[in-house]
Amino acid sequence: MTQVLVFFEELGAELSISQQELLTLAGQLGEISVVTTSAEPSPALAVQGIGSVYAPQADVPPGDPALADLLAEAAAQAAPDLVLGADTADATDALARLAVRLEAGLITSAESIEGTTVTKSVLAGAYTTSAQPVGGPLIATLRPNSVPAAVQPGSLPQITTLPVSPSGAVELLEETELPSTGRPALSEARVVVAGGRGVEGDFSLVEQLADELGGAVGASRAATDAGWIDHSAQVGQTGVIVSPQLYISVGISGAVQQKAGMQTSGTIVAINKDEDAPVFEIADFGIVGDLTEVIPQAIEELRARRQS
Amino acid sequence: MPALHIITLVKWVPDAQLERGFTAQRRIDRTEGILGELDEHPLEAALQISESLSDRQVRVSALTIGPAGASAALKKALQIGADDGYHLTDDALAGADVSATSAAAAAAIQHVRSLAGLDAEYLVLTGMASEDGETGAVPAQLAQRLGVPALTQATALGIDGARLSVTRTAGTRQQKLACALPAVVSVTDQANEPRYPNFRAIMKARKKPVTTFSLAETGLDAAAVQPKVQLLSAAPRPAREPGEIIHDDGTAGRQLVDFLQKERLL
Ligand SMILES: Cc1cc2nc3c(=O)[nH]c(=O)nc-3n(C[C@H](O)[C@H](O)[C@H](O)COP(=O)(O)OP(=O)(O)OC[C@H]3O[C@@H](n4cnc5c(N)ncnc54)[C@H](O)[C@@H]3O)c2cc1C
């Protein structure tokens, strides 16, 4: 039976959707064990299918060279054919260290994994590649929304404390929760409405449309750079990569780095007043028009239909 | 305080504004390139640190690993403000994966330090990701090979005495981390606004030294940079089916809702 070791760089009161996706994929591929950076893994791990959980003696902070020891010790116990993590900086960093330690291949941002063959998008989504490790286990991070999450509650698995402690080289001085928008998380949302330079500093129409559709709010780099909205809303190569069922692009031209973050969305709607904007090349439904006229009408129509 | 040697990794990458693709050997086509824009941010960070430590000797070196053409990336880095340039070029590195790149970079950094001959602490700065490989995994592998911390995706960084501190975002949390040198830090495009080289800087860059070396000079052989990942196929993403484009005649908002309803997206 294939052994899959799943790495969690954080553990909240509940598993995030991408953590559930990781466990779902791991369960499809083989038997699951989990390694976490927190010394006292939360009851969130009470999920069917997890055989064992490995934890350090004390929480290991991001960036610490001891992450390599933690993962290598867990790998020595679990003898994995595959080590999986989320497509986040912290998981990438820890798995990257493990790959050096095990002299194994690392593939980031996987979209599907069959056996040890990984399919992913490269060159800002312009190409799809498939690749395989040359010997050693496959070590990979998984893009969010690559598998539908399906985990069942179970009993809390046995926790094995490994003889690994933080090295003391890295100190976590401060940690604060970013202010919540009250909307779904951008990377996990079913609907994303994103605004660009065309909103001219006013995100209220984009936000209202997002709320009308129960979606998350995204933005282009031009909009986040201008300070109109927090950087955490940025969609694209240097922001969040999203793949929702519906992406509505508002006042965004559709540069290659923006497309890199959204072109695998199920349905793409674009609203732009320039009919030559590149975003129309990938739109399923494009409206050449002024967003300050189109969006209020759409919101009014959505409300009217809801009432009738 | 001892001198500080900041080594910034810069990569010569295909220009994202142009068509990019693969060669018949399934390698990224590198006939033309530019200094990756994301690599201007660590350079700017290095220069700002250097300027903030006026009482300390600071050297900012730019290191690139790539084919002959990559010297263009070094030239730009010197114009932006690096003091000297280093170029590791070797045919054995064509088609390098994360593992090969980090192995070559670790050896090259040690080589650059010995060539520089400074009795200095060192700090390695990189971009948040290369614009062609896009893994963002090289900094942590490099740190692992050097046996030092990796503080990645910095949105702000600074050196205060013997300590380096970094601000970053991890998931839904903002963190401030600190460590002693040496360390590897990857710097995001949020960290700063890179400076444009002026005419004087461009003229000055012509006199800055560039040292080119091969893998063997760093003490590595080709076996140490064997890729650990094998690319089986690379195909252009199929174009999306062309969609319906309408011009707003005063009813586009309602037509949008009709479309969403038809597609069962409401
Ligand atoms: C290394 C690198 C990384 C990058 N990473 C990212 C990234 O992650 N995400 C990202 O988005 N960008 C990224 N960029 C920037 C990217 O290249 C573009 O500059 C950016 O996406 C442009 O944002 P925009 O479309 O909002 O602005 P613009 O290109 O200025 O487009 C604004 C659009 O709004 C339209 N418009 C204006 N007014 C109206 C109106 N009233 N109604 C309707 N339409 C209107 C205009 O016709 C225009 O098409 C990156 C660039 C580089 C070099």
Side-chain angles (χ1 to χ4, degrees), chain A residues 31-243:
Chain A
E31 280 173 2
I32 315 171
S33 47
V34 169
V35 53
T36 89
T37 55
S38 61
E40 284 170 35
S42 75
L45 286 176
V47 160
Q48 273 179 31
I50 301 181
S52 23
V53 174
Y54 302 102
Q57 278 169 335
D59 293 1
V60 181
D64 192 333
L67 288 163
D69 305 323
L70 174 67
L71 274 101
E73 284 286 338
Q77 303 260 340
D81 304 286
L82 239 106
V83 186
L84 292 180
D87 197 17
T88 60
D90 286 358
T92 302
D93 292 349
L95 295 192
R97 284 185 181 272
L98 177 69
V100 170
R101 185 63 79 77
L102 300 184
E103 299 189 11
L106 171 73
I107 304 179
T108 58
S109 310
E111 285 164 17
S112 77
I113 301 178
E114 274 173 53
T116 55
T117 302
V118 175
T119 307
K120 65 176 283 191
S121 298
V122 300
L123 294 179
Y127 278 74
T128 304
T129 59
S130 65
Q132 244 175 10
V134 185
L138 167 66
I139 305 184
T141 65
L142 182 72
R143 273 240 163 115
N145 284 319
S146 299
V147 272
V151 294
Q152 304 299 329
S155 53
L156 196 63
Q158 190 185 334
I159 292 164
T160 306
T161 302
L162 300 170
V164 177
S165 306
S167 71
V170 178
E171 217 184 320
L172 182 57
L173 299 177
E174 274 173 43
E175 191 165 45
T176 46
E177 248 340 282
L178 292 172
S180 158
T181 59
R183 299 191 178 90
L186 186 54
S187 62
E188 298 170 351
R190 203 184 57 82
V191 176
V192 174
V193 185
R197 200 193 305 276
V199 308
E200 292 179 9
D202 183 359
F203 259 78
S204 59
L205 285 175
V206 169
E207 287 170 347
Q208 282 172 40
L209 183 58
D211 290 342
E212 217 48 59
L213 297 167
V217 171
S220 72
R221 189 169 90 171
T224 55
D225 277 357
W228 300 341
I229 184 161
D230 189 72
H231 170 67
S232 56
Q234 184 179 315
V235 172
Q237 187 184 336
T238 55
V240 182
I241 312 264
V242 301
S243 192

Side-chain angles (χ1 to χ4, degrees), chain A residues 10 90 93 97 121 125-126 128 130 132 134 171 173 175-176 178 221 263 265 284 286 288 297 305, chain B residues 144 152 163 168 172-176 178 189 228 230 232-233 235 237 240 244 246 248 250 253 258 261:
Chain A
E10 58 177 355
D90 286 358
D93 292 349
R97 284 185 181 272
S121 298
T128 304
S130 65
Q132 244 175 10
V134 185
E171 217 184 320
L173 299 177
E175 191 165 45
T176 46
L178 292 172
R221 189 169 90 171
Q263 65 187 347
S265 303
D284 299 291
V288 182
Q297 188 181 68
R305 290 198 194 183
Chain B
Q144 176 68 18
T152 60
R163 281 176 88 67
R168 68 198 290 269
T172 59
R173 285 159 293 131
Q174 189 170 57
Q175 297 173 333
K176 197 166 177 189
D189 60 346
K228 297 275 189 281
Q230 184 190 10
L232 305 173
S233 68
R237 171 183 296 284
R240 288 182 75 102
E244 181 188 350
I246 63 165
D248 186 17
D258 286 340
Q261 192 144 40

